[in-house]
Amino acid sequence: MSTANAPKKRKQPSSQPTPSKKPRTEGNATLIGPHEATLKELSAKHNVLALSILSSTQIRKRVSSATSHLLDASAQSRAVLLHARPADVCKMITVAEQCKRLLGEEGQAWFQYNELFDLPADAKKKKKKSTPERIDLEEEAEEDSDSDADAFETMESRFEQAVLPPPRARTYKSLRIFISPQALPELKARENVTVQTSEDAA
């Protein structure tokens, strides 16, 4: 029997399980880190769309993406997460306000949850470098200062380091906003979350 006429074996379907659905994100993916735990918690019951707001972000585009997601009737429970760095919080608030206005025009109720979150360590502002003129002045001042005073200040600083507790690490925070057409009990139960609803605005 020719091998060319031999029946070909059918490919067996893969037995690997289908991965669970993850929340969608739009914008800079590197900024989503502080929100991953919250998104994972919410995505178990809600379809969440995360939108980052940057200085280069087009407000109209973000408003369109958010309202389209919230007004989609194909899913029972939906929510949008807006997050931004401190410098872009005002722009994010503008996006949130326009979204709520459009939802109201469509007769859709809305719930807004505001929460501060900790920024990652690399988001801290970098200190400005000293200018050459400032460096020269500092060097001249050091040369003119008395060596005994320098020695005293060095001993004083060492004493403070040995006796005083180390300074507390400074944390940087920003604001994130959740908008949903229905209440989100998971967020309302949090201690530092403020809630606004369309009923309050009426």
Side-chain angles (χ1 to χ4, degrees), residues 21 23 38-48 186:
K21 188 175 181 180
T38 300
L39 288 173
K40 184 177 180 180
E41 177 186 357
L42 293 176
S43 62
K45 297 181 180 180
H46 314 282
N47 188 339
V48 185
E186 302 92 333

PDB file of all heavy atoms in Angstrom, residues 21 23 38-48 186:
ATOM      1  N   LYS A  21     -10.437  35.546  31.694  1.00  0.00           N
ATOM      2  CA  LYS A  21     -10.467  36.858  31.072  1.00  0.00           C
ATOM      3  C   LYS A  21      -9.826  37.891  31.983  1.00  0.00           C
ATOM      4  O   LYS A  21     -10.097  37.949  33.169  1.00  0.00           O
ATOM      5  CB  LYS A  21     -11.911  37.258  30.782  1.00  0.00           C
ATOM      6  CG  LYS A  21     -12.046  38.523  29.972  1.00  0.00           C
ATOM      7  CD  LYS A  21     -13.479  38.784  29.617  1.00  0.00           C
ATOM      8  CE  LYS A  21     -13.622  40.043  28.781  1.00  0.00           C
ATOM      9  NZ  LYS A  21     -15.020  40.321  28.421  1.00  0.00           N
ATOM     10  N   PRO A  23      -8.777  42.074  32.795  1.00  0.00           N
ATOM     11  CA  PRO A  23      -9.284  43.432  32.508  1.00  0.00           C
ATOM     12  C   PRO A  23      -8.489  44.066  31.382  1.00  0.00           C
ATOM     13  O   PRO A  23      -7.270  43.921  31.301  1.00  0.00           O
ATOM     14  CB  PRO A  23      -9.087  44.166  33.837  1.00  0.00           C
ATOM     15  CG  PRO A  23      -8.055  43.387  34.568  1.00  0.00           C
ATOM     16  CD  PRO A  23      -8.254  41.969  34.165  1.00  0.00           C
ATOM     17  N   THR A  38      -6.153  45.552  42.665  1.00  0.00           N
ATOM     18  CA  THR A  38      -7.555  45.986  42.670  1.00  0.00           C
ATOM     19  C   THR A  38      -8.278  45.497  41.418  1.00  0.00           C
ATOM     20  O   THR A  38      -9.434  45.052  41.490  1.00  0.00           O
ATOM     21  CB  THR A  38      -7.632  47.520  42.760  1.00  0.00           C
ATOM     22  OG1 THR A  38      -7.011  47.953  43.966  1.00  0.00           O
ATOM     23  CG2 THR A  38      -9.074  47.990  42.745  1.00  0.00           C
ATOM     24  N   LEU A  39      -7.613  45.567  40.281  1.00  0.00           N
ATOM     25  CA  LEU A  39      -8.227  45.095  39.038  1.00  0.00           C
ATOM     26  C   LEU A  39      -8.504  43.601  39.102  1.00  0.00           C
ATOM     27  O   LEU A  39      -9.545  43.126  38.626  1.00  0.00           O
ATOM     28  CB  LEU A  39      -7.315  45.415  37.855  1.00  0.00           C
ATOM     29  CG  LEU A  39      -7.231  46.886  37.448  1.00  0.00           C
ATOM     30  CD1 LEU A  39      -6.169  47.078  36.377  1.00  0.00           C
ATOM     31  CD2 LEU A  39      -8.581  47.375  36.942  1.00  0.00           C
ATOM     32  N   LYS A  40      -7.592  42.859  39.698  1.00  0.00           N
ATOM     33  CA  LYS A  40      -7.792  41.414  39.822  1.00  0.00           C
ATOM     34  C   LYS A  40      -8.997  41.117  40.699  1.00  0.00           C
ATOM     35  O   LYS A  40      -9.793  40.208  40.412  1.00  0.00           O
ATOM     36  CB  LYS A  40      -6.534  40.767  40.415  1.00  0.00           C
ATOM     37  CG  LYS A  40      -6.608  39.246  40.489  1.00  0.00           C
ATOM     38  CD  LYS A  40      -5.311  38.672  41.023  1.00  0.00           C
ATOM     39  CE  LYS A  40      -5.376  37.148  41.095  1.00  0.00           C
ATOM     40  NZ  LYS A  40      -4.105  36.573  41.623  1.00  0.00           N
ATOM     41  N   GLU A  41      -9.163  41.885  41.776  1.00  0.00           N
ATOM     42  CA  GLU A  41     -10.309  41.694  42.677  1.00  0.00           C
ATOM     43  C   GLU A  41     -11.622  42.023  41.967  1.00  0.00           C
ATOM     44  O   GLU A  41     -12.602  41.274  42.062  1.00  0.00           O
ATOM     45  CB  GLU A  41     -10.148  42.577  43.911  1.00  0.00           C
ATOM     46  CG  GLU A  41     -11.321  42.508  44.877  1.00  0.00           C
ATOM     47  CD  GLU A  41     -11.196  43.513  46.009  1.00  0.00           C
ATOM     48  OE1 GLU A  41     -10.178  44.224  46.065  1.00  0.00           O
ATOM     49  OE2 GLU A  41     -12.132  43.594  46.827  1.00  0.00           O
ATOM     50  N   LEU A  42     -11.647  43.141  41.249  1.00  0.00           N
ATOM     51  CA  LEU A  42     -12.885  43.570  40.592  1.00  0.00           C
ATOM     52  C   LEU A  42     -13.250  42.705  39.393  1.00  0.00           C
ATOM     53  O   LEU A  42     -14.433  42.471  39.123  1.00  0.00           O
ATOM     54  CB  LEU A  42     -12.761  45.025  40.155  1.00  0.00           C
ATOM     55  CG  LEU A  42     -12.670  46.077  41.257  1.00  0.00           C
ATOM     56  CD1 LEU A  42     -12.461  47.459  40.657  1.00  0.00           C
ATOM     57  CD2 LEU A  42     -13.917  46.068  42.121  1.00  0.00           C
ATOM     58  N   SER A  43     -12.231  42.228  38.658  1.00  0.00           N
ATOM     59  CA  SER A  43     -12.501  41.477  37.430  1.00  0.00           C
ATOM     60  C   SER A  43     -13.173  40.129  37.686  1.00  0.00           C
ATOM     61  O   SER A  43     -13.684  39.511  36.753  1.00  0.00           O
ATOM     62  CB  SER A  43     -11.194  41.260  36.659  1.00  0.00           C
ATOM     63  OG  SER A  43     -10.278  40.503  37.428  1.00  0.00           O
ATOM     64  N   ALA A  44     -13.187  39.694  38.940  1.00  0.00           N
ATOM     65  CA  ALA A  44     -13.869  38.436  39.255  1.00  0.00           C
ATOM     66  C   ALA A  44     -15.378  38.563  39.061  1.00  0.00           C
ATOM     67  O   ALA A  44     -16.066  37.579  38.760  1.00  0.00           O
ATOM     68  CB  ALA A  44     -13.557  38.017  40.692  1.00  0.00           C
ATOM     69  N   LYS A  45     -15.921  39.786  39.224  1.00  0.00           N
ATOM     70  CA  LYS A  45     -17.362  40.008  39.107  1.00  0.00           C
ATOM     71  C   LYS A  45     -17.734  41.063  38.074  1.00  0.00           C
ATOM     72  O   LYS A  45     -18.904  41.151  37.686  1.00  0.00           O
ATOM     73  CB  LYS A  45     -17.938  40.426  40.459  1.00  0.00           C
ATOM     74  CG  LYS A  45     -17.805  39.380  41.546  1.00  0.00           C
ATOM     75  CD  LYS A  45     -18.432  39.875  42.846  1.00  0.00           C
ATOM     76  CE  LYS A  45     -18.321  38.843  43.956  1.00  0.00           C
ATOM     77  NZ  LYS A  45     -18.928  39.321  45.225  1.00  0.00           N
ATOM     78  N   HIS A  46     -16.760  41.870  37.653  1.00  0.00           N
ATOM     79  CA  HIS A  46     -17.073  42.996  36.770  1.00  0.00           C
ATOM     80  C   HIS A  46     -16.129  43.009  35.566  1.00  0.00           C
ATOM     81  O   HIS A  46     -14.988  42.545  35.650  1.00  0.00           O
ATOM     82  CB  HIS A  46     -16.959  44.322  37.526  1.00  0.00           C
ATOM     83  CG  HIS A  46     -17.630  44.311  38.867  1.00  0.00           C
ATOM     84  ND1 HIS A  46     -18.991  44.430  39.026  1.00  0.00           N
ATOM     85  CD2 HIS A  46     -17.112  44.187  40.121  1.00  0.00           C
ATOM     86  CE1 HIS A  46     -19.298  44.384  40.311  1.00  0.00           C
ATOM     87  NE2 HIS A  46     -18.168  44.243  40.993  1.00  0.00           N
ATOM     88  N   ASN A  47     -16.626  43.578  34.477  1.00  0.00           N
ATOM     89  CA  ASN A  47     -15.802  43.786  33.287  1.00  0.00           C
ATOM     90  C   ASN A  47     -15.188  45.185  33.399  1.00  0.00           C
ATOM     91  O   ASN A  47     -15.884  46.182  33.232  1.00  0.00           O
ATOM     92  CB  ASN A  47     -16.671  43.667  32.025  1.00  0.00           C
ATOM     93  CG  ASN A  47     -15.843  43.677  30.751  1.00  0.00           C
ATOM     94  OD1 ASN A  47     -14.705  44.136  30.739  1.00  0.00           O
ATOM     95  ND2 ASN A  47     -16.415  43.156  29.679  1.00  0.00           N
ATOM     96  N   VAL A  48     -13.893  45.246  33.689  1.00  0.00           N
ATOM     97  CA  VAL A  48     -13.239  46.513  34.005  1.00  0.00           C
ATOM     98  C   VAL A  48     -12.313  46.936  32.860  1.00  0.00           C
ATOM     99  O   VAL A  48     -11.509  46.139  32.373  1.00  0.00           O
ATOM    100  CB  VAL A  48     -12.429  46.407  35.311  1.00  0.00           C
ATOM    101  CG1 VAL A  48     -11.853  47.774  35.684  1.00  0.00           C
ATOM    102  CG2 VAL A  48     -13.296  45.882  36.444  1.00  0.00           C
ATOM    103  N   GLU A 186     -17.304  46.286  46.601  1.00  0.00           N
ATOM    104  CA  GLU A 186     -15.905  46.032  46.939  1.00  0.00           C
ATOM    105  C   GLU A 186     -15.148  47.337  47.195  1.00  0.00           C
ATOM    106  O   GLU A 186     -14.259  47.390  48.052  1.00  0.00           O
ATOM    107  CB  GLU A 186     -15.218  45.254  45.805  1.00  0.00           C
ATOM    108  CG  GLU A 186     -15.880  43.926  45.472  1.00  0.00           C
ATOM    109  CD  GLU A 186     -16.915  44.046  44.374  1.00  0.00           C
ATOM    110  OE1 GLU A 186     -17.493  45.151  44.209  1.00  0.00           O
ATOM    111  OE2 GLU A 186     -17.162  43.061  43.678  1.00  0.00           O
TER     112      GLU A 186
END
